[in-house]
Structures are given as C-alpha cells and as structure tokens.
Amino acid sequence: QVQLVESGGGLVQAGGSLRLSCAASGSISSGNAMGWYRQAPGKQRELVAAIASGGYRNYADFVKGRFTISRDNAKATVSLQMNSLKPEDTAVYYCRLTMPRYEYWGQGTQVTVSS
C-alpha cells in the first residue's frame, strides 16, 4: 500500500509564490514517475508537471517558465515550486505516483490565487 501526503497549499496574491510538497510512503518500485495535477471547479483534472525517477521533466504549456518540479528519490518526495502565480492557477492540486502496474493519488491541496 502506498500513501501520498501533500502539503503547502494556501492563499496567495497574484504574482506570489507557493511551494507544494508530496511525500510518498509504502512499497514504491523503481522506474516510477511523480507528478502534479490540478482541477479547478467545473473543469477536468489536468497535468501540471511530472518528473520521472531518472529526472526527465514534463510541463504543461501554461506553467512553463513559472513552475519547477523536483524530486528526492531517497526521500520519495516531489515538490512543485510555483512562481508568478495567476488567478487562473486556482485549483485543487493533486500529487500522483505512477508505477509500472499501479498509480496512486494524494488527497489534494487547495491553491487559491487572488487578483
């Protein structure tokens, strides 16, 4: 069983920064990917950024140049540094761990950006 625990959401003014963190615990196999997704009210969940265990990163176009994803394989954590936040970044942000046969999701953390 794998658990993902997210932290770091909150309320910030437009132009501000937040850092999200996600810690995974349990039986985690190698060759996995960790990522952040978000879901705004009335919208589908969408990829924000993902990073493979080897370090390859993938970003959604709408966050390129503003957000940075990183991970610590030894600690099984993934972080998302979010800079230059916009009101349209307001959403619940979810951590996801993908392994060859399973995927796991965190409970989500609210990010609210005020204009």
Side-chain angles (χ1 to χ4, degrees):
Q1 188 70 14
V2 173
Q3 279 194 318
L4 301 176
V5 178
E6 299 135 335
S7 61
L11 173 65
V12 65
Q13 288 189 331
S17 298
L18 282 174
R19 185 176 180 85
L20 305 182
S21 294
C22 174
S25 61
S27 181
I28 302 169
S29 61
S30 60
N32 62 73
M34 299 186 78
W36 290 95
Y37 289 69
R38 71 186 188 185
Q39 188 167 19
K43 295 188 177 181
Q44 290 190 332
R45 192 172 296 187
E46 59 185 356
L47 170 70
V48 176
I51 182 169
S53 54
Y56 176 79
R57 294 170 172 85
N58 183 32
Y59 292 97
D61 287 343
F62 54 78
V63 302
K64 285 181 179 177
R66 300 190 298 126
F67 293 8
T68 302
I69 191 169
S70 59
R71 64 183 288 168
D72 184 329
N73 288 335
K75 297 181 180 179
T77 59
V78 63
S79 297
L80 185 70
Q81 178 65 42
M82 304 186 294
N83 299 328
S84 301
L85 283 161
K86 305 175 182 180
E88 51 263 43
D89 293 319
T90 295
V92 178
Y93 283 70
Y94 296 90
C95 176
R96 179 190 185 198
L97 169 65
T98 307
M99 296 191 289
R101 297 177 62 185
Y102 302 99
E103 66 173 19
Y104 297 91
W105 292 88
Q107 79 285 359
T109 185
Q110 177 70 45
V111 171
T112 302
V113 185
S114 63
S115 57

